[in-house]
Every structure is written in C-alpha cells, then in structure tokens.
Amino acid sequence: METLSLRQARRLALARAGLLKPEWTGMPTTARGRGPSARRACLEVVRRFGYLQLDSIGVAGARTQGLVLMSRLDGLDPSLAEELLQPGEPLFEYLGHEACWQPMEDWPLFEFRRSELRDVPRWGVFVADHRDVAEEILRRIEDEGPLRSLDFDSGRFGTNWQLKTATFVASGLWGMGELAIRERRSFQRVYDLTERVIPDDVRSQTMTFDRALPELVLKALDGHGWARPGTIADTWRLKGCGASIAEALGRLEEAGEVAACEVVDEVGGRTAGWVRNRDLELAGRLDRLRPRPDRGVLLSPFDPVLWDRQRVASLFGFDQVLEIYKPAKDRVYGYYCLPVLAGDGLVARVDLKCERKAGRIEVLSSRFEEDPPSSVHQEAVRTAVERHGRLLGMDVVW
C-alpha cells in the first residue's frame, strides 16, 4: 500500500488540474487572445480532464466553461470559451461528467451510456412515446440542416411548467446518439444528424462497457491525481458501478498502471484511494515545492478540483457550497461564489456581479477562511479579482 501525505495529495491534485507552474503540470499557462494557439491551449485543458463542464450562469462575467479556462490560461479571450464546439473541431458534447464538451476520440467510450438511455423514462421512453415528434425532428434536420429546439413547433406537457415536447424529444435523441450537437449559439444547442458531426472513423469504433471502464478510470485519475473510488465513479456518473470499478482498478493495478494509495492526514487518519503509478514520483517532488502564496486565482464552483465536496473538505479543509438554489435570506456567502486559490490553499471566496453595459465587475462580498485574514491572503484576493476583471476587459468595483 502506497501512502501520500495530505500536502502531497493536495499539490498533486493542483498539478494534475493545471493550477501550478507548467513544469509541474505539463500544461500551458497562457493563451493570448482567441487565435489558433489559444484554441489549442483550451483543448489541452479539456483533454487533461476528459471534459469541460457546461453551465448557463454568467453572473460573474463568464460561464463556468470560461471560468475554468480563464483560471489556467492567462491572456485568454473569454469569448473563445463559448465557441470551442465548432464544426471540424475535435470536440463533441455529451453527458460525460455532466453536460460537457469532450475530446472527440472519447466518443466510443460512451456507447454504453447511449445504449442505457434508450431504456430510461426521461430519455428513450419519452422519445418512444412521442415518436411522431421525433420523426418530424429528424426529417427536418435531414432536409433543412442543423436546427435548434426552438425551431420546432410542438405541444407542451406538464401541469406546472408546461415544457415543450420537442425540446425533450430532441434532448432524448441526442442522449441516445441519434442526434449530435453541432455547436452552440448564444448557449443554445444546435442539433444535427450524428453522422454529420461525428467523423465516420470515430463512429465506426465499438466499445463495450467492460472495455471502456478501465480507460474512464485512468482518465479520471489523470485529472484528479489521487482519488477515492467514489470520486472516480462520480467523474463519469457511474452510480451503482462500484463493483465494476473495483474490478477495473484491480486489473489496472496488475498491469502496473495504478496503485492503491492511502492519504495520511496530520493526525494520522487514513483515506483509501488510488493514484496512477507515474504520479507517485511527481507527488514526492511536489512535497518540496514552495508555491507562491501571493498570487491568487478565481475558480469556478464547478471546477474539476471543486465539484466533489467531500474531496475538497478532505484535501483543502474547505467547505465548498453552492447557494444559487437558496433563498437570498438563507445564503451565507452569496449567490455564485468563486473560491480563491493561493499557493496550495483555498483561502477565500468572492461573490461577483458583472454589469456588462457599465463595463464593470462589482465585488458583492469577500469572505476569508481565516479571521482576521493575513495580508498575504488579502493580496491574493485582490490579485485574483483584478486578474479576472482584466481578462474580461472590465473595471473592478470593490
């Protein structure tokens, strides 16, 4: 059984997440503007994790897909983050971690999910119950080219929300692989026939769940560094697959790809997990690293480092909460707080509001983890927020 100290596991997580210097991460840290080199740098980030999660909330001046890239690529034009999925680019959109953009070469890995969704009420069963709508959508897209769900007329269902039937049917066809998302326009999905979006040589590859699972396990560890089996499962929405994941980890251990590894905290507590063998040596070197504590960066609440709340608490001693669904009176930190990373710690969180017409970012609140905050952490927050404003081309109002 290998062991890592808590500090080693934390720094390994940041290195694999591309949040340390390039010599430790093997990833770019700059992406000037929005040209071809910037696009390539963005794709490197996506490939490291295997996904770039999407979300529609842009109150901080950029949606999460932009925030994740901005935190890693200084100089990036945030508008590029909204346009990565384009015809001919090596990405596709699917339900990987959540709704995500993923590397095109990973399309075969999710054949099991496309098959599974054919039997799920929200997806395949709904489409089967509204096959006339489905056939109309497929016919129109074949004849007219890519369309959005709002381009279709259909009845509505539901007693409270009165949801548009065509929207759910198109989503179901996408989940099952009969449609693909060609691009997004103003964050709206543009659907097309799958054969027009996914190249023939990619679609022709077939992969069973048993073959795909070891690759998904390795991809999860590539992004996390060290991880518990539950984190590996949640990376790819693999609920109820604990036994299969354990078997895949066992096979990978025999092949010398991964090692069982416990993280030992400051009081001797141990947490079982797994790590790629090639990252063990890196973790040892990172233990001697002295991160700069005076440079801060904002992280999306949906950042790959943050979405596993238990993992964040264990590695960083940070209570990652998302309060967008709470009434305003019940919020402790704010509507859409962005944690501040400084050195190898999460030192604060800020709640921002973008006022585009005024060209400014308003800091609604800033909350530090320590009270009173050190001057170093105060400077980290200032640096992080002003960097965010600079990338967006907006003034910061404190």
Side-chain angles (χ1 to χ4, degrees):
M1 176 70 69
E2 300 285 349
T3 61
L4 293 175
S5 70
L6 188 60
R7 182 168 71 175
Q8 287 174 322
R10 179 172 61 248
R11 292 181 175 181
L12 179 60
L14 295 175
R16 296 307 301 170
L19 290 166
L20 296 180
K21 294 179 180 179
E23 54 265 36
W24 303 107
T25 67
M27 293 175 65
T29 57
T30 59
R32 301 301 179 191
R34 49 175 295 115
S37 63
R39 184 176 286 273
R40 286 193 296 271
C42 291
L43 292 175
E44 283 195 52
V45 175
V46 178
R47 285 197 170 94
R48 170 59 60 89
F49 300 112
Y51 62 90
L52 179 64
Q53 184 173 342
L54 306 175
D55 190 77
S56 62
I57 299 173
V59 66
R63 298 185 176 98
T64 188
Q65 53 270 29
L67 295 172
V68 169
L69 296 172
M70 290 164 63
S71 64
R72 291 154 173 84
L73 301 172
D74 200 23
L76 177 73
D77 182 337
S79 67
L80 178 60
E82 298 295 316
E83 303 168 6
L84 284 181
L85 186 69
Q86 295 287 329
E89 291 295 334
L91 292 175
F92 70 99
E93 182 171 330
Y94 196 59
L95 299 167
H97 170 60
E98 297 291 344
C100 300
W101 289 337
Q102 300 178 244
M104 184 64 77
E105 61 265 24
D106 291 350
W107 169 268
L109 295 176
F110 293 90
E111 176 57 32
F112 76 92
R113 178 154 295 151
R114 293 188 287 272
S115 297
E116 287 177 351
L117 292 182
R118 296 185 182 107
D119 298 321
V120 175
R122 163 69 174 79
W123 303 89
V125 175
F126 189 88
V127 172
D129 290 343
H130 299 84
R131 196 64 210 182
D132 57 333
V133 178
E135 293 298 338
E136 175 66 9
I137 289 173
L138 292 168
R139 183 194 63 77
R140 283 195 57 193
I141 289 177
E142 182 175 12
D143 293 345
E144 301 175 30
L147 295 172
R148 301 162 297 172
S149 64
L150 59 80
D151 294 321
F152 299 102
D153 294 323
S154 71
R156 295 179 180 270
F157 68 97
T159 55
N160 295 324
W161 295 98
Q162 286 292 294
L163 300 169
K164 189 176 177 182
T165 302
T167 298
F168 274 72
V169 171
S171 182
L173 291 169
W174 165 63
M176 295 185 296
E178 293 188 52
L179 289 178
I181 297 172
R182 186 174 186 84
E183 60 183 319
R184 285 200 178 231
R185 298 175 190 162
S186 301
F187 203 63
Q188 294 179 358
R189 294 170 173 173
V190 179
Y191 294 101
D192 202 351
L193 300 180
T194 303
E195 56 265 31
R196 295 176 181 167
V197 176
I198 309 300
D200 291 345
D201 62 329
V202 176
R203 283 189 300 108
S204 64
Q205 300 177 41
T206 59
M207 188 170 290
T208 65
F209 177 68
D210 287 342
R211 282 188 57 206
L213 185 55
E215 293 196 35
L216 292 174
V217 168
L218 291 176
K219 286 179 177 292
L221 289 175
D222 275 343
H224 293 303
W226 172 90
R228 298 174 299 108
T231 300
I232 294 171
D234 290 344
T235 302
W236 306 116
R237 299 165 58 105
L238 297 173
K239 292 182 179 180
C241 296
S244 296
I245 291 172
E247 183 181 350
L249 284 164
R251 296 201 307 269
L252 290 168
E253 185 178 29
E254 290 178 0
E257 293 280 356
V258 305
C261 181
E262 291 183 332
V263 170
V264 184
D265 64 27
E266 293 90 342
V267 296
R270 291 172 176 262
T271 303
W274 294 82
V275 66
R276 296 203 67 163
N277 282 327
R278 66 189 188 194
D279 284 335
L280 285 169
E281 188 271 337
L282 173 60
R285 288 188 288 129
L286 290 170
D287 195 37
R288 301 184 293 274
L289 175 67
R290 303 181 71 178
R292 289 173 56 90
D294 57 338
R295 296 290 300 275
V297 64
L298 301 183
L299 300 182
S300 161
F302 301 112
D303 193 282
V305 171
L306 296 177
W307 56 254
D308 186 333
R309 187 172 177 179
Q310 180 180 344
R311 174 183 170 83
V312 177
S314 174
L315 294 185
F316 294 90
F318 187 85
D319 184 17
Q320 169 58 18
V321 294
L322 186 63
E323 299 184 299
I324 57 177
Y325 301 112
K326 292 183 179 179
K329 63 182 179 61
D330 295 333
R331 294 176 193 143
V332 176
Y333 302 109
Y335 175 71
Y336 192 75
C337 277
L338 308 181
V340 180
L341 174 70
D344 65 355
L346 296 170
V347 303
R349 60 195 97 202
V350 296
D351 192 26
L352 306 180
K353 182 180 180 181
C354 174
E355 299 179 353
R356 293 190 181 280
K357 290 184 178 180
R360 67 184 189 183
I361 295 284
E362 183 180 356
V363 182
L364 301 179
S365 70
S366 59
R367 297 285 294 269
F368 290 86
E369 290 298 287
E370 59 181 9
D371 186 20
S374 68
S375 60
V376 170
H377 290 172
Q378 290 178 354
E379 176 64 14
V381 169
R382 185 194 65 79
T383 299
V385 174
E386 291 188 354
R387 175 184 181 276
H388 182 74
R390 184 178 69 252
L391 288 175
L392 292 170
M394 296 186 182
D395 296 326
V396 175
V397 179
W398 295 88

